[in-house]
Amino acid sequence: MPRRFVLPLVLLCGLALFVWGLGSTGLVDETPPLFAASARAMARTGDWLIPRVNGLPRYDKPPLVYWLMGLIYALPGQPQWDPLGTWAARLPSALSSVGLMLVMAATLLRWPQPMAAGRWPAPSQQAITAVSAALAFALSPLVLLWSRIAVSDALLTGLLSAVLLLFWRCYAGGGRAWLAWILLGLAVLAKGPVAVVLAGITLSAFGLWQRDLRGLAAQLRPWPGLAITALVALPWYGLAALVEGRPFLDSFFGYHNLQRFTGVVNNHLQPWWFFLPVLVVASLPFTPLLLAGLAGGFRSRTISLPPEQSLQRYATCWLLAVLLFFTLAATKLPSYWLPATPAAGVLIALAAQQRPGRWVMASTLALQAVLAAGLAASGRWVPLINEPELPTLPAELLAGGLLSRAAVCFALALVAGVLLWWAQTPWRRGWLLAQQLAVVAFAVTALQPLVAFGDRLRQAPLRRLAAAVLDERRSGEPLAMVGILKPSLHFYTDQVVIYEGVQANGPLNLNDRLLNERRAGQQPSPPAANNTVLVVIDQRTAQLPHWRGLAHQPLAQEGLFALWRVPRQALDQWAQRLRAAGLPPPDWQQPRPERY
């Protein structure tokens, strides 16, 4: 492959994987609508300091991703060219991953790494390795998912990974590190101080392993660099603390950073070894190559490598830094592994370049065969899916033919891998790349349509119900959602929504909140004769004893959800009856972390 084709090919694949069809589906509950609604509120109100959602401040993440989304929401005519509001919310994540793919490919193009026994790859092999590294990152199942949703994880991964690659390039003789320190400040504005911690662990481990910590520090100049990072990141934190005070400090630093590391939040309790299977799954179907790349990184563990030949060792330190840090954290989520996926991509591509052993190649092809066979046999296992909320799911999934299309893509990857494995010509150099291009075809022709299929079944009914809310809602009429809680209702109605779960005192909470709660867009109101409240309720919750006896007027039904108009006097009387029957008193004023 000519080197001049590398970056255009990487850009084309990145746009196809992450930007194509980005705004064609709705937001997936539950976190993305909170990000999108906060960013849209920034654009509409002009308050760019503190993200706010559903009438309340949202302190969980710094503002960079909200700013980027908000700038797109502020463009003229946005509701017309982005009717679902999802293109604006997802584009920062998508472009972060596309940009990182280009940085990865450019790094390996400029600093090709040696093959086994110190031999250097031919120029065509260097080009193939550069593309393969970018695609190995992009085709991680985690990256394919999080690069197309409206959260800050892909942005953090893109910024932090660019920082780490620029640091290594500087160490390898590629210029000054000031740009990396600026980007590190932006990473702190994307997700918080975790960016500095992960970068510090990676660099320290690499410097010690290289026995060149002093030389690394001389190239990166960490103290002036950290000052640059602080100048970029700290002004917002200072202003937010000054304006919001103790609630911001307690929520952002106390709950969302310190407590997430030292304690389990939101019931995300996992065993200490949780990220080991995540490591395996996150690189499928090329996990054997990742393991071979890690083994290759340790192969020269006792010597100091020339800086320009140390990328495999650096990527090993990078991946292990993420593994160690989040293994020690009490709260564990699959998305925490995302900052390790670019390092895994580098290790996979370098392992393929070094002509791995037969067991590695055979294992990789076996995974392709398992995926192709499993998808081809979808007619046997799809009918076994039992989803009471979506009774027609198996039939519609099989009728669409998307699983068969996916099977064909993985079969093509298998055939290409087998043919090139046996080839004794220069074409064998493209053994991994040929399989990756087939997986790219799977992502574009099968996976993205599957996402649209899921959106049609799960999210479209809620969007239609949101439209019914806007049609039926009277001026000043409150809106509540009980049972299954979907923040996308707030996003699509652009109204404050009072959320109450399935607890038995839910009607008491709702009644008391309507009487007493104040927030932006929601004021207390009495249960006067003409006052009503709109209630969105799912079928199961509607059958619970504490909701079943509530007098209401049915207005609409979409999928699982119904829209009721409830007279306030009826709600007040029902709450009094439940209270007299011994139900717990209202407890909505007790702290509820991440309340919508």
Side-chain angles (χ1 to χ4, degrees), residues 37-57:
S38 300
R40 187 178 61 187
M42 279 186 167
R44 290 183 177 178
T45 65
D47 178 6
W48 295 87
L49 181 62
I50 301 296
R52 301 183 187 277
V53 63
N54 205 25
L56 297 171

mmCIF file with all atom_site columns, all heavy atoms in Angstrom, residues 37-57:
data_model
loop_
_atom_site.group_PDB
_atom_site.id
_atom_site.type_symbol
_atom_site.label_atom_id
_atom_site.label_alt_id
_atom_site.label_comp_id
_atom_site.label_asym_id
_atom_site.label_entity_id
_atom_site.label_seq_id
_atom_site.pdbx_PDB_ins_code
_atom_site.Cartn_x
_atom_site.Cartn_y
_atom_site.Cartn_z
_atom_site.occupancy
_atom_site.B_iso_or_equiv
_atom_site.pdbx_formal_charge
_atom_site.auth_seq_id
_atom_site.auth_comp_id
_atom_site.auth_asym_id
_atom_site.auth_atom_id
_atom_site.pdbx_PDB_model_num
ATOM 1   N N   . ALA A 1 37 ? -29.494 17.300 26.715 1.00 0.00 ? 37 ALA A N   1
ATOM 2   C CA  . ALA A 1 37 ? -30.387 18.337 27.232 1.00 0.00 ? 37 ALA A CA  1
ATOM 3   C C   . ALA A 1 37 ? -29.599 19.451 27.906 1.00 0.00 ? 37 ALA A C   1
ATOM 4   O O   . ALA A 1 37 ? -29.948 20.636 27.783 1.00 0.00 ? 37 ALA A O   1
ATOM 5   C CB  . ALA A 1 37 ? -31.389 17.725 28.207 1.00 0.00 ? 37 ALA A CB  1
ATOM 6   N N   . SER A 1 38 ? -28.541 19.097 28.628 1.00 0.00 ? 38 SER A N   1
ATOM 7   C CA  . SER A 1 38 ? -27.720 20.121 29.280 1.00 0.00 ? 38 SER A CA  1
ATOM 8   C C   . SER A 1 38 ? -27.050 21.019 28.251 1.00 0.00 ? 38 SER A C   1
ATOM 9   O O   . SER A 1 38 ? -27.007 22.245 28.408 1.00 0.00 ? 38 SER A O   1
ATOM 10  C CB  . SER A 1 38 ? -26.659 19.458 30.160 1.00 0.00 ? 38 SER A CB  1
ATOM 11  O OG  . SER A 1 38 ? -27.243 18.654 31.159 1.00 0.00 ? 38 SER A OG  1
ATOM 12  N N   . ALA A 1 39 ? -26.511 20.406 27.192 1.00 0.00 ? 39 ALA A N   1
ATOM 13  C CA  . ALA A 1 39 ? -25.837 21.204 26.161 1.00 0.00 ? 39 ALA A CA  1
ATOM 14  C C   . ALA A 1 39 ? -26.823 22.097 25.424 1.00 0.00 ? 39 ALA A C   1
ATOM 15  O O   . ALA A 1 39 ? -26.526 23.262 25.128 1.00 0.00 ? 39 ALA A O   1
ATOM 16  C CB  . ALA A 1 39 ? -25.144 20.257 25.188 1.00 0.00 ? 39 ALA A CB  1
ATOM 17  N N   . ARG A 1 40 ? -27.997 21.571 25.118 1.00 0.00 ? 40 ARG A N   1
ATOM 18  C CA  . ARG A 1 40 ? -29.010 22.382 24.443 1.00 0.00 ? 40 ARG A CA  1
ATOM 19  C C   . ARG A 1 40 ? -29.453 23.548 25.318 1.00 0.00 ? 40 ARG A C   1
ATOM 20  O O   . ARG A 1 40 ? -29.661 24.669 24.831 1.00 0.00 ? 40 ARG A O   1
ATOM 21  C CB  . ARG A 1 40 ? -30.201 21.511 24.076 1.00 0.00 ? 40 ARG A CB  1
ATOM 22  C CG  . ARG A 1 40 ? -31.246 22.208 23.221 1.00 0.00 ? 40 ARG A CG  1
ATOM 23  C CD  . ARG A 1 40 ? -32.368 21.263 22.866 1.00 0.00 ? 40 ARG A CD  1
ATOM 24  N NE  . ARG A 1 40 ? -33.058 20.774 24.065 1.00 0.00 ? 40 ARG A NE  1
ATOM 25  C CZ  . ARG A 1 40 ? -33.991 19.825 24.045 1.00 0.00 ? 40 ARG A CZ  1
ATOM 26  N NH1 . ARG A 1 40 ? -34.319 19.243 22.909 1.00 0.00 ? 40 ARG A NH1 1
ATOM 27  N NH2 . ARG A 1 40 ? -34.581 19.451 25.168 1.00 0.00 ? 40 ARG A NH2 1
ATOM 28  N N   . ALA A 1 41 ? -29.566 23.299 26.633 1.00 0.00 ? 41 ALA A N   1
ATOM 29  C CA  . ALA A 1 41 ? -29.935 24.388 27.548 1.00 0.00 ? 41 ALA A CA  1
ATOM 30  C C   . ALA A 1 41 ? -28.861 25.460 27.578 1.00 0.00 ? 41 ALA A C   1
ATOM 31  O O   . ALA A 1 41 ? -29.175 26.656 27.656 1.00 0.00 ? 41 ALA A O   1
ATOM 32  C CB  . ALA A 1 41 ? -30.166 23.820 28.947 1.00 0.00 ? 41 ALA A CB  1
ATOM 33  N N   . MET A 1 42 ? -27.596 25.064 27.519 1.00 0.00 ? 42 MET A N   1
ATOM 34  C CA  . MET A 1 42 ? -26.519 26.058 27.453 1.00 0.00 ? 42 MET A CA  1
ATOM 35  C C   . MET A 1 42 ? -26.684 26.955 26.237 1.00 0.00 ? 42 MET A C   1
ATOM 36  O O   . MET A 1 42 ? -26.573 28.188 26.325 1.00 0.00 ? 42 MET A O   1
ATOM 37  C CB  . MET A 1 42 ? -25.160 25.356 27.384 1.00 0.00 ? 42 MET A CB  1
ATOM 38  C CG  . MET A 1 42 ? -24.605 24.883 28.699 1.00 0.00 ? 42 MET A CG  1
ATOM 39  S SD  . MET A 1 42 ? -22.922 24.228 28.466 1.00 0.00 ? 42 MET A SD  1
ATOM 40  C CE  . MET A 1 42 ? -22.395 24.121 30.184 1.00 0.00 ? 42 MET A CE  1
ATOM 41  N N   . ALA A 1 43 ? -26.934 26.323 25.080 1.00 0.00 ? 43 ALA A N   1
ATOM 42  C CA  . ALA A 1 43 ? -27.054 27.104 23.850 1.00 0.00 ? 43 ALA A CA  1
ATOM 43  C C   . ALA A 1 43 ? -28.251 28.052 23.904 1.00 0.00 ? 43 ALA A C   1
ATOM 44  O O   . ALA A 1 43 ? -28.195 29.172 23.392 1.00 0.00 ? 43 ALA A O   1
ATOM 45  C CB  . ALA A 1 43 ? -27.180 26.165 22.654 1.00 0.00 ? 43 ALA A CB  1
ATOM 46  N N   . ARG A 1 44 ? -29.328 27.635 24.544 1.00 0.00 ? 44 ARG A N   1
ATOM 47  C CA  . ARG A 1 44 ? -30.543 28.449 24.556 1.00 0.00 ? 44 ARG A CA  1
ATOM 48  C C   . ARG A 1 44 ? -30.500 29.557 25.590 1.00 0.00 ? 44 ARG A C   1
ATOM 49  O O   . ARG A 1 44 ? -31.013 30.651 25.363 1.00 0.00 ? 44 ARG A O   1
ATOM 50  C CB  . ARG A 1 44 ? -31.757 27.558 24.807 1.00 0.00 ? 44 ARG A CB  1
ATOM 51  C CG  . ARG A 1 44 ? -32.080 26.649 23.638 1.00 0.00 ? 44 ARG A CG  1
ATOM 52  C CD  . ARG A 1 44 ? -33.329 25.835 23.890 1.00 0.00 ? 44 ARG A CD  1
ATOM 53  N NE  . ARG A 1 44 ? -33.666 25.019 22.739 1.00 0.00 ? 44 ARG A NE  1
ATOM 54  C CZ  . ARG A 1 44 ? -34.682 24.178 22.693 1.00 0.00 ? 44 ARG A CZ  1
ATOM 55  N NH1 . ARG A 1 44 ? -35.471 24.046 23.758 1.00 0.00 ? 44 ARG A NH1 1
ATOM 56  N NH2 . ARG A 1 44 ? -34.928 23.475 21.611 1.00 0.00 ? 44 ARG A NH2 1
ATOM 57  N N   . THR A 1 45 ? -29.899 29.272 26.748 1.00 0.00 ? 45 THR A N   1
ATOM 58  C CA  . THR A 1 45 ? -29.907 30.257 27.835 1.00 0.00 ? 45 THR A CA  1
ATOM 59  C C   . THR A 1 45 ? -28.698 31.165 27.825 1.00 0.00 ? 45 THR A C   1
ATOM 60  O O   . THR A 1 45 ? -28.726 32.236 28.425 1.00 0.00 ? 45 THR A O   1
ATOM 61  C CB  . THR A 1 45 ? -29.978 29.537 29.193 1.00 0.00 ? 45 THR A CB  1
ATOM 62  O OG1 . THR A 1 45 ? -28.781 28.763 29.380 1.00 0.00 ? 45 THR A OG1 1
ATOM 63  C CG2 . THR A 1 45 ? -31.191 28.628 29.258 1.00 0.00 ? 45 THR A CG2 1
ATOM 64  N N   . GLY A 1 46 ? -27.612 30.731 27.179 1.00 0.00 ? 46 GLY A N   1
ATOM 65  C CA  . GLY A 1 46 ? -26.377 31.508 27.221 1.00 0.00 ? 46 GLY A CA  1
ATOM 66  C C   . GLY A 1 46 ? -25.590 31.317 28.500 1.00 0.00 ? 46 GLY A C   1
ATOM 67  O O   . GLY A 1 46 ? -24.562 31.977 28.697 1.00 0.00 ? 46 GLY A O   1
ATOM 68  N N   . ASP A 1 47 ? -26.020 30.418 29.385 1.00 0.00 ? 47 ASP A N   1
ATOM 69  C CA  . ASP A 1 47 ? -25.279 30.110 30.603 1.00 0.00 ? 47 ASP A CA  1
ATOM 70  C C   . ASP A 1 47 ? -24.326 28.963 30.291 1.00 0.00 ? 47 ASP A C   1
ATOM 71  O O   . ASP A 1 47 ? -24.702 27.786 30.330 1.00 0.00 ? 47 ASP A O   1
ATOM 72  C CB  . ASP A 1 47 ? -26.244 29.710 31.728 1.00 0.00 ? 47 ASP A CB  1
ATOM 73  C CG  . ASP A 1 47 ? -25.515 29.324 33.014 1.00 0.00 ? 47 ASP A CG  1
ATOM 74  O OD1 . ASP A 1 47 ? -24.278 29.484 33.065 1.00 0.00 ? 47 ASP A OD1 1
ATOM 75  O OD2 . ASP A 1 47 ? -26.177 28.866 33.964 1.00 0.00 ? 47 ASP A OD2 1
ATOM 76  N N   . TRP A 1 48 ? -23.061 29.286 29.994 1.00 0.00 ? 48 TRP A N   1
ATOM 77  C CA  . TRP A 1 48 ? -22.080 28.291 29.581 1.00 0.00 ? 48 TRP A CA  1
ATOM 78  C C   . TRP A 1 48 ? -21.193 27.839 30.740 1.00 0.00 ? 48 TRP A C   1
ATOM 79  O O   . TRP A 1 48 ? -20.245 27.070 30.527 1.00 0.00 ? 48 TRP A O   1
ATOM 80  C CB  . TRP A 1 48 ? -21.207 28.845 28.460 1.00 0.00 ? 48 TRP A CB  1
ATOM 81  C CG  . TRP A 1 48 ? -21.971 29.122 27.203 1.00 0.00 ? 48 TRP A CG  1
ATOM 82  C CD1 . TRP A 1 48 ? -22.631 30.274 26.887 1.00 0.00 ? 48 TRP A CD1 1
ATOM 83  C CD2 . TRP A 1 48 ? -22.181 28.227 26.109 1.00 0.00 ? 48 TRP A CD2 1
ATOM 84  N NE1 . TRP A 1 48 ? -23.237 30.154 25.660 1.00 0.00 ? 48 TRP A NE1 1
ATOM 85  C CE2 . TRP A 1 48 ? -22.968 28.911 25.155 1.00 0.00 ? 48 TRP A CE2 1
ATOM 86  C CE3 . TRP A 1 48 ? -21.773 26.924 25.836 1.00 0.00 ? 48 TRP A CE3 1
ATOM 87  C CZ2 . TRP A 1 48 ? -23.357 28.328 23.951 1.00 0.00 ? 48 TRP A CZ2 1
ATOM 88  C CZ3 . TRP A 1 48 ? -22.153 26.342 24.637 1.00 0.00 ? 48 TRP A CZ3 1
ATOM 89  C CH2 . TRP A 1 48 ? -22.932 27.042 23.712 1.00 0.00 ? 48 TRP A CH2 1
ATOM 90  N N   . LEU A 1 49 ? -21.494 28.269 31.951 1.00 0.00 ? 49 LEU A N   1
ATOM 91  C CA  . LEU A 1 49 ? -20.630 27.908 33.081 1.00 0.00 ? 49 LEU A CA  1
ATOM 92  C C   . LEU A 1 49 ? -21.005 26.557 33.670 1.00 0.00 ? 49 LEU A C   1
ATOM 93  O O   . LEU A 1 49 ? -20.165 25.651 33.763 1.00 0.00 ? 49 LEU A O   1
ATOM 94  C CB  . LEU A 1 49 ? -20.704 28.985 34.167 1.00 0.00 ? 49 LEU A CB  1
ATOM 95  C CG  . LEU A 1 49 ? -19.826 28.725 35.405 1.00 0.00 ? 49 LEU A CG  1
ATOM 96  C CD1 . LEU A 1 49 ? -18.359 28.690 35.011 1.00 0.00 ? 49 LEU A CD1 1
ATOM 97  C CD2 . LEU A 1 49 ? -20.090 29.771 36.481 1.00 0.00 ? 49 LEU A CD2 1
ATOM 98  N N   . ILE A 1 50 ? -22.254 26.383 34.078 1.00 0.00 ? 50 ILE A N   1
ATOM 99  C CA  . ILE A 1 50 ? -22.695 25.168 34.767 1.00 0.00 ? 50 ILE A CA  1
ATOM 100 C C   . ILE A 1 50 ? -23.725 24.448 33.909 1.00 0.00 ? 50 ILE A C   1
ATOM 101 O O   . ILE A 1 50 ? -24.752 25.026 33.556 1.00 0.00 ? 50 ILE A O   1
ATOM 102 C CB  . ILE A 1 50 ? -23.308 25.499 36.142 1.00 0.00 ? 50 ILE A CB  1
ATOM 103 C CG1 . ILE A 1 50 ? -22.298 26.210 37.026 1.00 0.00 ? 50 ILE A CG1 1
ATOM 104 C CG2 . ILE A 1 50 ? -23.810 24.229 36.819 1.00 0.00 ? 50 ILE A CG2 1
ATOM 105 C CD1 . ILE A 1 50 ? -21.083 25.375 37.379 1.00 0.00 ? 50 ILE A CD1 1
ATOM 106 N N   . PRO A 1 51 ? -23.479 23.185 33.563 1.00 0.00 ? 51 PRO A N   1
ATOM 107 C CA  . PRO A 1 51 ? -24.517 22.418 32.860 1.00 0.00 ? 51 PRO A CA  1
ATOM 108 C C   . PRO A 1 51 ? -25.756 22.266 33.746 1.00 0.00 ? 51 PRO A C   1
ATOM 109 O O   . PRO A 1 51 ? -25.644 22.012 34.952 1.00 0.00 ? 51 PRO A O   1
ATOM 110 C CB  . PRO A 1 51 ? -23.850 21.063 32.609 1.00 0.00 ? 51 PRO A CB  1
ATOM 111 C CG  . PRO A 1 51 ? -22.383 21.304 32.771 1.00 0.00 ? 51 PRO A CG  1
ATOM 112 C CD  . PRO A 1 51 ? -22.253 22.414 33.764 1.00 0.00 ? 51 PRO A CD  1
ATOM 113 N N   . ARG A 1 52 ? -26.919 22.405 33.155 1.00 0.00 ? 52 ARG A N   1
ATOM 114 C CA  . ARG A 1 52 ? -28.174 22.247 33.905 1.00 0.00 ? 52 ARG A CA  1
ATOM 115 C C   . ARG A 1 52 ? -29.123 21.390 33.078 1.00 0.00 ? 52 ARG A C   1
ATOM 116 O O   . ARG A 1 52 ? -29.230 21.544 31.863 1.00 0.00 ? 52 ARG A O   1
ATOM 117 C CB  . ARG A 1 52 ? -28.804 23.610 34.201 1.00 0.00 ? 52 ARG A CB  1
ATOM 118 C CG  . ARG A 1 52 ? -27.879 24.510 35.013 1.00 0.00 ? 52 ARG A CG  1
ATOM 119 C CD  . ARG A 1 52 ? -28.511 25.847 35.392 1.00 0.00 ? 52 ARG A CD  1
ATOM 120 N NE  . ARG A 1 52 ? -27.522 26.710 36.014 1.00 0.00 ? 52 ARG A NE  1
ATOM 121 C CZ  . ARG A 1 52 ? -27.192 26.662 37.300 1.00 0.00 ? 52 ARG A CZ  1
ATOM 122 N NH1 . ARG A 1 52 ? -27.800 25.810 38.095 1.00 0.00 ? 52 ARG A NH1 1
ATOM 123 N NH2 . ARG A 1 52 ? -26.267 27.469 37.792 1.00 0.00 ? 52 ARG A NH2 1
ATOM 124 N N   . VAL A 1 53 ? -29.816 20.493 33.778 1.00 0.00 ? 53 VAL A N   1
ATOM 125 C CA  . VAL A 1 53 ? -30.737 19.594 33.099 1.00 0.00 ? 53 VAL A CA  1
ATOM 126 C C   . VAL A 1 53 ? -31.981 19.423 33.967 1.00 0.00 ? 53 VAL A C   1
ATOM 127 O O   . VAL A 1 53 ? -31.889 19.304 35.193 1.00 0.00 ? 53 VAL A O   1
ATOM 128 C CB  . VAL A 1 53 ? -30.074 18.226 32.808 1.00 0.00 ? 53 VAL A CB  1
ATOM 129 C CG1 . VAL A 1 53 ? -29.682 17.510 34.084 1.00 0.00 ? 53 VAL A CG1 1
ATOM 130 C CG2 . VAL A 1 53 ? -30.985 17.348 31.964 1.00 0.00 ? 53 VAL A CG2 1
ATOM 131 N N   . ASN A 1 54 ? -33.131 19.480 33.313 1.00 0.00 ? 54 ASN A N   1
ATOM 132 C CA  . ASN A 1 54 ? -34.415 19.268 33.992 1.00 0.00 ? 54 ASN A CA  1
ATOM 133 C C   . ASN A 1 54 ? -34.598 20.234 35.161 1.00 0.00 ? 54 ASN A C   1
ATOM 134 O O   . ASN A 1 54 ? -35.164 19.890 36.197 1.00 0.00 ? 54 ASN A O   1
ATOM 135 C CB  . ASN A 1 54 ? -34.523 17.817 34.494 1.00 0.00 ? 54 ASN A CB  1
ATOM 136 C CG  . ASN A 1 54 ? -35.964 17.363 34.643 1.00 0.00 ? 54 ASN A CG  1
ATOM 137 O OD1 . ASN A 1 54 ? -36.878 17.884 33.995 1.00 0.00 ? 54 ASN A OD1 1
ATOM 138 N ND2 . ASN A 1 54 ? -36.180 16.385 35.510 1.00 0.00 ? 54 ASN A ND2 1
ATOM 139 N N   . GLY A 1 55 ? -34.097 21.454 34.985 1.00 0.00 ? 55 GLY A N   1
ATOM 140 C CA  . GLY A 1 55 ? -34.262 22.472 36.006 1.00 0.00 ? 55 GLY A CA  1
ATOM 141 C C   . GLY A 1 55 ? -33.284 22.400 37.155 1.00 0.00 ? 55 GLY A C   1
ATOM 142 O O   . GLY A 1 55 ? -33.402 23.171 38.123 1.00 0.00 ? 55 GLY A O   1
ATOM 143 N N   . LEU A 1 56 ? -32.282 21.504 37.094 1.00 0.00 ? 56 LEU A N   1
ATOM 144 C CA  . LEU A 1 56 ? -31.325 21.324 38.179 1.00 0.00 ? 56 LEU A CA  1
ATOM 145 C C   . LEU A 1 56 ? -29.897 21.396 37.639 1.00 0.00 ? 56 LEU A C   1
ATOM 146 O O   . LEU A 1 56 ? -29.649 21.015 36.489 1.00 0.00 ? 56 LEU A O   1
ATOM 147 C CB  . LEU A 1 56 ? -31.531 19.960 38.864 1.00 0.00 ? 56 LEU A CB  1
ATOM 148 C CG  . LEU A 1 56 ? -32.877 19.732 39.547 1.00 0.00 ? 56 LEU A CG  1
ATOM 149 C CD1 . LEU A 1 56 ? -32.996 18.277 39.978 1.00 0.00 ? 56 LEU A CD1 1
ATOM 150 C CD2 . LEU A 1 56 ? -33.027 20.663 40.750 1.00 0.00 ? 56 LEU A CD2 1
ATOM 151 N N   . PRO A 1 57 ? -28.938 21.845 38.443 1.00 0.00 ? 57 PRO A N   1
ATOM 152 C CA  . PRO A 1 57 ? -27.542 21.816 38.008 1.00 0.00 ? 57 PRO A CA  1
ATOM 153 C C   . PRO A 1 57 ? -27.051 20.380 37.890 1.00 0.00 ? 57 PRO A C   1
ATOM 154 O O   . PRO A 1 57 ? -27.475 19.497 38.638 1.00 0.00 ? 57 PRO A O   1
ATOM 155 C CB  . PRO A 1 57 ? -26.802 22.580 39.117 1.00 0.00 ? 57 PRO A CB  1
ATOM 156 C CG  . PRO A 1 57 ? -27.687 22.473 40.308 1.00 0.00 ? 57 PRO A CG  1
ATOM 157 C CD  . PRO A 1 57 ? -29.094 22.435 39.801 1.00 0.00 ? 57 PRO A CD  1
#
